[in-house]
Amino acid sequence: MIKAGIIGATGYAGGELVRLMTAHPDVEIVWYGSRSYIDKKYYEVYKNMFQIVDAVCLDDNMEELAKQADVIFTATPQGFCASLINEEILSNAKLVDLSADFRIKDVATYEKWYGIEHKAPQYIEEAVYGLCEINREAVKNARLVANPGCYPTCSTLSIYPLLKEGLIDPSTVIIDAKSGTSGAGRGAKVDNLYCEVNENIKAYGVANHRHTPEIEEQLSLAAGEEMLINFTPHLVPMNRGILITAYASLKSTLQPDGTRAFPSYEEVRAAYDKYYDKEKFVRVLDKNVCPETKWVEGSNYVDVNFKIDERTGRVIMMGAMDNLVKGAAGQAVQNMNLMFGLPETKGLELVPMFP
């Protein structure tokens, strides 16, 4: 059995980690970390865990936890993991960090966008960006994995094949995103009150959302050149789910008659199939079927598809996923499975919930 500890077990992502790993046949949770609920029984915080989890919440002593656990998950605010990580911890346990502390390879970029000093820059280069479908082999040998953000996961997987195959102009990518309120975390905020969110949709973080440099970095690696994107997220009145609608100009080729031809549906579809045909958790939908959040809810699936707009020469790339599963806890478990040599899908073959 893999002994796992969770720092931040009472947040939304931490709670989802508990839900998934409680049912994982090869995992025993030995530490439910929560600074806000120390000594309180876990099921008193999340009553769905009554008679399932009888343990009490512990503090955030990562050095002690590393002596008891094989893997540590830090589902904590930005800056927390970097402030505690050290060589002793990493020599005793593997670490999957669900914050942004080790996702971005440039320290100055991280500090600019997150507005805090990075406390452990010496581990940034070592950290593996844990988007399994792209970095699977590196994850297998990692002791520190930076679990990707929710928006970057859905955005990257929706766009990645067309950049890798050179079918779109990298300078034209625009991403429009929608997320349920759980993406903002469990902390009390006026903007997330029922009366603020219900019957409302709003853009936020316009031109300065913190996931922008993470998305740019991953798409730049796919394109083989530095990219700048427009990324605009929106808050919608639902608990879970992310929907990405991205736009880019297709690259055209000059024909003998002087006209320009754009890639066909079959060529674009072939690009998606090339990268995802054997991927369990990325489902390329049938022609003209648009991804919807309700068909991935509660699962580790990402549904992607595209539509070519021949009138404008652009392609619309779409993706939908559960922000708490594939966008956080599910992906973290997927990374853990790879790190410990388990089947990547173990504990994650969840049928999406409906209704």
Side-chain angles (χ1 to χ4, degrees):
M1 295 290 283
I2 298 168
K3 294 184 177 180
I6 306 166
I7 301 294
T10 54
Y12 286 145
E16 197 73 348
L17 273 169
V18 173
R19 182 178 77 88
L20 295 175
M21 291 198 295
T22 297
H24 196 297
D26 293 320
V27 176
E28 175 191 0
I29 303 175
V30 298
W31 192 290
Y32 299 82
S34 175
R35 182 178 291 180
S36 301
Y37 297 99
I38 295 173
D39 294 331
K40 192 166 187 174
K41 284 186 177 292
Y42 189 78
Y43 74 76
E44 294 178 317
V45 182
Y46 283 119
K47 294 179 176 59
N48 59 324
M49 291 296 166
F50 181 61
Q51 294 188 351
I52 298 172
V53 177
D54 197 49
V56 299
C57 296
L58 303 173
D59 60 19
D60 51 22
N61 187 340
M62 280 180 64
E63 291 190 352
E64 178 59 33
L65 169 54
K67 296 174 184 176
Q68 300 183 30
D70 302 305
V71 60
I72 299 171
F73 296 89
T74 48
T76 50
Q78 330 305 334
F80 181 89
C81 182
S83 70
L84 294 181
I85 192 173
N86 58 43
E87 196 60 32
E88 181 180 356
I89 291 170
L90 286 175
S91 65
N92 287 325
K94 297 180 186 292
L95 179 59
V96 180
D97 178 29
L98 278 73
S99 81
D101 285 358
F102 299 100
R103 296 175 189 161
I104 298 170
K105 292 302 182 184
D106 182 70
V107 178
T109 300
Y110 170 88
E111 293 180 343
K112 173 187 174 183
W113 285 83
Y114 285 90
I116 55 176
E117 179 187 356
H118 201 294
K119 298 294 186 181
Q122 67 272 28
Y123 293 111
I124 292 177
E125 188 59 37
E126 175 186 349
V128 173
Y129 189 76
L131 192 53
C132 303
E133 288 75 13
I134 295 171
N135 292 329
R136 179 173 287 113
E137 294 307 313
V139 170
K140 289 179 180 179
N141 299 310
R143 60 174 187 167
L144 171 59
V145 165
N147 209 62
C150 50
Y151 283 130
T153 295
C154 201
S155 298
T156 302
L157 291 175
S158 299
I159 302 169
Y160 181 84
L162 302 195
L163 285 172
K164 286 290 288 185
E165 294 302 298
L167 295 175
I168 56 176
D169 181 350
S171 69
T172 65
V173 173
I174 296 173
I175 301 173
D176 178 288
K178 313 287 193 302
S179 175
T181 57
S182 60
R186 200 172 185 228
K189 306 177 186 74
V190 171
D191 285 350
N192 294 342
L193 293 173
Y194 178 81
C195 289
E196 308 289 330
V197 174
N198 187 48
E199 297 292 335
N200 189 29
I201 181 170
K202 61 183 177 182
Y204 67 99
V206 179
N208 61 8
H209 192 277
R210 298 183 301 182
H211 281 172
T212 304
E214 183 182 340
I215 298 171
E216 287 180 342
E217 185 170 287
Q218 294 307 310
L219 295 185
S220 295
L221 290 171
E225 62 183 81
E226 187 172 343
M227 286 179 58
L228 294 176
I229 62 168
N230 283 117
F231 170 69
T232 305
H234 302 74
L235 186 67
V236 296
M238 61 185 187
N239 294 334
R240 294 169 177 255
I242 278 183
L243 181 72
I244 294 294
T245 310
Y247 308 85
S249 296
L250 287 162
K251 287 186 177 178
S252 61
T253 54
L254 186 63
Q255 301 301 296
D257 62 0
T259 61
R260 303 199 71 86
F262 293 100
S264 66
Y265 170 86
E266 289 73 21
E267 289 173 301
V268 176
R269 174 71 193 216
Y272 280 94
D273 288 341
K274 175 180 177 179
Y275 291 93
Y276 299 145
D277 190 48
K278 293 182 173 60
E279 291 295 341
K280 167 69 176 179
F281 295 123
V282 183
R283 305 190 298 189
V284 185
L285 302 180
D286 293 338
K287 188 174 184 179
N288 294 327
V289 177
C290 295
E292 299 180 47
T293 58
K294 69 179 177 180
W295 301 126
V296 291
E297 185 173 353
S299 79
N300 203 52
Y301 289 108
V302 183
D303 285 355
V304 300
N305 213 346
F306 66 94
K307 182 82 172 182
I308 294 174
D309 185 349
E310 295 181 359
R311 188 178 64 86
T312 62
R314 297 191 185 100
V315 61
I316 298 97
M317 301 154 285
M318 299 163 283
M321 71 178 198
D322 187 317
N323 58 293
L324 291 180
V325 189
K326 182 59 174 172
Q331 186 146 249
V333 172
Q334 195 177 347
N335 278 308
M336 178 200 70
N337 285 339
L338 287 171
M339 295 166 83
F340 285 89
L342 297 175
E344 190 173 329
T345 61
K346 202 155 196 180
L348 293 172
E349 298 196 52
L350 308 164
V351 176
M353 299 183 297
F354 181 81

